[in-house]
Amino acid sequence: MMDYKIEQLESVLLFKIDRPEKRNAINYEVMDGLKEALEQARTNDEIKVLVITGAGTQSFCSGGDLQAFHGLKSQSEAYEMLSKMGGILYDLSTLPKITVALINGTAIGGGCEIAAACDFRIARPNSKLGFIQGNLAITTGWGGGTLLYERLVPSQALLLLTTAGLYKTEELHDKGFIDHIVPGHTFNDVTNLLEPILLKNVHVLVAYKQILIEKWKRGDLQERIRLEILACSKLWEKPEHHEAVEGFLNSSSRKNTKS
């Protein structure tokens, strides 16, 4: 079985990270799947909206798979992985279709970066979200920090990044990061909420999205994301990061053993 699913439901393309046993963490296969979904959404005029979500009811996405990527030790190794996903998130943010993160559970680290790359974020109540990378002695490395500064008032974005804390859905709704809170988290909840958009002509939607894309291109979004990735890769190879990851993995292992 693949670690992701892509399904077209009328004018919506649904991409689902299908690794609930890994809290829907990102690995290379999921990266390739997301890239495939972006290409489908880009080239199919029937598609008006791309929705990204996670399998199950516990996690939207827990970020990069630490077990899969912990073997990357040097800056060059880290940069290769980070730039691969960073390029995908740049393509996601500049996709000429409407994009939605359906946050069906916990979203941490890279999961929040994916959410920041989407046009809209819809979450269920009491979910926990956070740009926790600072707790692992690195920064956002997929472009999520750069994109967060585009989504929020800079002081609010800086607060979320530097505290590296976990926030409830309601708190991030107040800060402007979460656009809508829905009691359910099903596909129907999203389509009902987005119905006014889905009723519009696809070329109208593309034209409006293109205005935003042009703004970002003139503001060197791609280059700013590259510099973010480079900064993260430099921190990645430092012993502080690898020690923090080891501590996190050991802690998670002890919790799993007790349960």
Side-chain angles (χ1 to χ4, degrees), residues 221-233:
L221 179 68
Q222 190 169 27
E223 173 62 10
R224 287 187 285 134
I225 287 177
R226 186 191 72 81
L227 292 174
E228 176 185 333
I229 293 168
L230 181 62
C232 182
S233 70

Side-chain angles (χ1 to χ4, degrees), residues 78-143:
Y79 185 82
E80 183 177 358
M81 180 276 291
L82 295 169
S83 60
K84 177 181 174 69
M85 188 61 178
I88 293 170
L89 289 197
Y90 174 78
D91 289 342
L92 172 60
S93 63
T94 58
L95 182 74
K97 301 291 178 71
I98 303 301
T99 57
V100 176
L102 174 55
I103 302 170
N104 57 302
T106 302
I108 58 174
C112 278
E113 295 195 58
I114 293 172
C118 292
D119 298 318
F120 302 110
R121 284 152 294 282
I122 301 171
R124 74 181 194 183
N126 298 314
S127 295
K128 292 184 177 180
L129 303 90
F131 292 84
I132 64 164
Q133 289 88 337
N135 297 328
L136 296 176
I138 55 172
T139 60
T140 51
W142 291 345

Side-chain angles (χ1 to χ4, degrees), residues 54-65:
T57 59
Q58 300 301 312
S59 294
F60 167 70
C61 175
S62 59
D65 189 327

Side-chain angles (χ1 to χ4, degrees), residues 66-67 70 244-254:
L66 292 179
Q67 292 181 326
H70 190 37
V245 172
E246 285 286 355
F248 178 84
L249 292 175
N250 290 336
S251 175
S252 297
S253 178
R254 286 194 296 271

